[in-house]
């Protein structure tokens, strides 16, 4: 049920993956709680699955905050020295599974999905079959919640996969970082919190930062592309997208827990308090904003990438320069991905407020670190 104006009574809450950026989900939960929004179903990938399971278990926002603020690197990452020495390249992961399992056991409900007070969906990937497996759906409920949550958090190469009912399962973000589609059936609206595929900072000197950083950068780019595809194809029910501004932090930034929790709270308050009658629409992604698109003609090389990626929005003019079909458009936070694909950053997108004031939208721009 919801006591928040504009939020339907039956809503699904979807928490995406993104490493420790997912602490922002705790702030989102606080904002929802203050407004009396109680999801009818909750779904998550990776850390989103972990926090979703803690919510279903009944942990308070205060308890989640305390655990997030006290978490240290050694609590999660312990190198599997024996495995690396004995099995070398055949070792299943760089880190031991026990620390992650202990965290999951302390936060997630005991028992199976059938035992839960509200429906919980945990997104994983069957590594051998190459398919998504969302535990908690009909026919996938008779497994331990802690096994599913561990698997959803098991980033390939970092933590060992988990064998569940004969399936070798890993992090759900490999194929669906914000599993909104599976949670959308039978609800009036979806609230999706995306912390792993928002704006990217420029990864300078990435070649010098080791294989782990190169791998994580690749994962971030992959999840971002998959997320953009899902949102671009979204039709119904209406989806309220919350994107906390946590892109400047690394996936495993233990020193910024408080900042990320607060960022989630502030972003959720802004979106929820401005929802109006948006979710009365039959579908689409909200909130929507008035955007002005501009092209720096001197910088534009005429490569045509933008017109190829967004033929309904961009064109090539008589001088083979990129130009918007319409200078002013209405976009959700899921639109405009083509802006960042310009190889010379010749395209900018600015929010136009009601008073004509403009400001740069960081969602559409790759910024330096």
């Amino acid at each position: 049920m919801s006591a928040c104006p504009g939020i339907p009574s039956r809503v699904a809450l979807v928490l995406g993956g993104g490493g420790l950026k997912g602490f922002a989900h705790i702030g989102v939960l606080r904002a929802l709680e203050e407004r009396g929004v109680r999801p009818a179903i909750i779904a998550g990938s990776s850390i989103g699955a972990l926090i979703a399971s803690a919510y279903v278990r009944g942990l308070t926002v205060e308890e989640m905050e305390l655990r997030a603020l006290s978490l240290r690197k050694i609590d999660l990452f312990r190198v599997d020295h024996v495995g690396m020495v004995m099995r070398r390249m055949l070792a299943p992961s760089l880190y031991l599974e026990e620390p992650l399992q202990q965290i999951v056991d302390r936060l997630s409900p005991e028992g199976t999905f059938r035992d839960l007070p509200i429906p919980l969906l945990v997104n994983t990937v069957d590594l051998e079959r190459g398919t998504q497996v969302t535990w908690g759906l009909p026919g996938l409920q008779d497994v331990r919640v802690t096994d599913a949550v561990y698997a959803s958090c098991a980033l390939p190469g970092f933590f060992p996969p988990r064998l569940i009912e004969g399936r070798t399962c890993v992090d759900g973000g490999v194929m669906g970082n914000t599993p909104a589609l599976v949670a959308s059936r039978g609800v009036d609206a979806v609230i999706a919190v995306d912390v792993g595929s928002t704006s990217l900072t420029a990864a300078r000197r990435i070649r010098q930062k080791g294989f782990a950083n190169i791998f994580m950068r690749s994962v971030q780019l992959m999840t971002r592309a998959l997320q953009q595809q899902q949102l671009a194809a979204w039709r119904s029910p209406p989806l309220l997208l919350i994107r906390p501004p946590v892109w400047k932090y690394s996936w495993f930034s233990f020193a910024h827990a408080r900042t990320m929790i607060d960022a989630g709270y502030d972003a959720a308050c802004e979106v929820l308090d401005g929802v109006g009658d948006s979710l009365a629409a039959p579908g689409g992604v909200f909130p929507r904003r008035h955007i002005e698109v501009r092209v720096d003609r001197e910088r534009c090389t005429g490569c045509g990438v933008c017109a190829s990626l967004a033929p309904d929005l961009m064109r090539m003019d008589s001088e083979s320069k990129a130009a918007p079909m319409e200078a002013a458009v209405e976009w959700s936070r899921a639109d405009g991905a083509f802006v960042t694909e310009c190889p010379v950053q010749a395209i900018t997108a600015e929010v136009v407020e009601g008073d004509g004031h403009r400001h740069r939208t960081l969602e559409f721009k790759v910024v330096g670190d």
Side-chain angles (χ1 to χ4, degrees), residues 80-354:
D80 184 5
H81 294 287
V82 174
M84 298 296 289
V85 171
M86 299 297 293
R87 303 187 67 182
R88 298 180 183 273
M89 295 301 293
L90 294 179
S93 65
L94 178 61
Y95 298 108
L96 294 167
E97 78 172 32
E98 285 79 10
L100 175 58
Q101 185 65 63
Q102 290 172 5
I103 292 172
V104 171
D105 289 342
R106 288 195 294 267
L107 296 178
S108 301
E110 298 178 352
T112 72
F113 286 85
R114 290 189 184 278
D115 303 323
L116 301 178
I118 65 173
L120 169 68
L121 303 180
V122 173
N123 192 39
T124 67
V125 169
D126 183 331
L127 204 56
E128 294 180 346
R129 295 177 175 86
T131 59
Q132 290 190 74
V133 182
T134 304
W135 303 101
L137 289 174
L140 297 170
Q141 298 172 326
D142 296 315
V143 301
R144 293 198 312 164
V145 175
T146 51
D147 281 338
V149 173
Y150 169 90
S152 190
C153 295
L155 186 65
F158 279 62
F159 296 100
R162 175 60 51 85
L163 191 66
I164 307 176
E165 290 196 337
R167 301 174 183 268
T168 302
C169 295
V170 296
D171 193 329
V174 170
M175 294 183 69
N177 201 46
T178 309
L181 193 59
V182 294
S184 65
R185 185 176 180 182
V187 297
D188 301 315
V190 174
I191 299 175
V193 187
D194 177 17
V195 296
S197 54
T198 55
S199 297
L200 298 176
T201 55
R204 296 170 178 153
R205 299 181 298 277
I206 189 67
R207 290 186 300 170
Q208 304 170 20
K209 296 181 179 179
F211 74 90
N213 281 286
I214 292 173
F215 174 77
M216 286 307 303
R217 179 66 173 183
S218 301
V219 169
Q220 188 178 16
L221 294 171
M222 176 189 68
T223 56
R224 184 169 181 261
L226 290 172
Q227 184 64 50
Q228 288 171 347
Q229 290 177 11
Q230 181 190 59
L231 292 173
W234 190 269
R235 295 296 177 265
S236 64
L239 184 147
L240 194 64
L241 181 61
I242 300 173
R243 277 184 165 167
V246 293
W247 54 80
K248 68 180 68 175
Y249 304 106
S250 75
W251 278 39
F252 302 116
S253 179
F254 289 83
H256 298 96
R258 179 76 267 167
T259 299
M260 289 187 279
I261 292 171
D262 292 343
Y265 176 78
D266 292 341
C269 289
E270 178 185 359
V271 170
L272 293 170
D273 292 343
V275 67
D277 60 356
S278 298
L279 300 187
V285 180
F286 301 93
R288 304 187 71 81
R289 300 169 294 178
H290 294 289
I291 303 291
E292 184 173 285
V293 182
R294 296 179 178 180
V295 177
D296 185 333
R297 293 180 61 82
E298 293 185 3
R299 182 175 289 184
C300 177
T301 64
C303 69
V305 168
C306 59
S308 299
L309 294 175
D312 296 334
L313 298 171
M314 300 296 293
R315 61 183 177 86
M316 305 305 293
D317 65 16
S318 59
E319 298 179 4
S320 296
K321 295 287 188 177
M325 296 284 195
E326 297 181 14
V329 294
E330 188 180 74
W331 280 350
S332 75
R333 286 181 168 88
D335 297 315
F338 70 89
V339 173
T340 61
E341 299 298 330
C342 176
V344 292
Q345 297 183 5
I347 307 173
T348 57
E350 296 176 326
V351 173
V352 181
E353 305 288 3

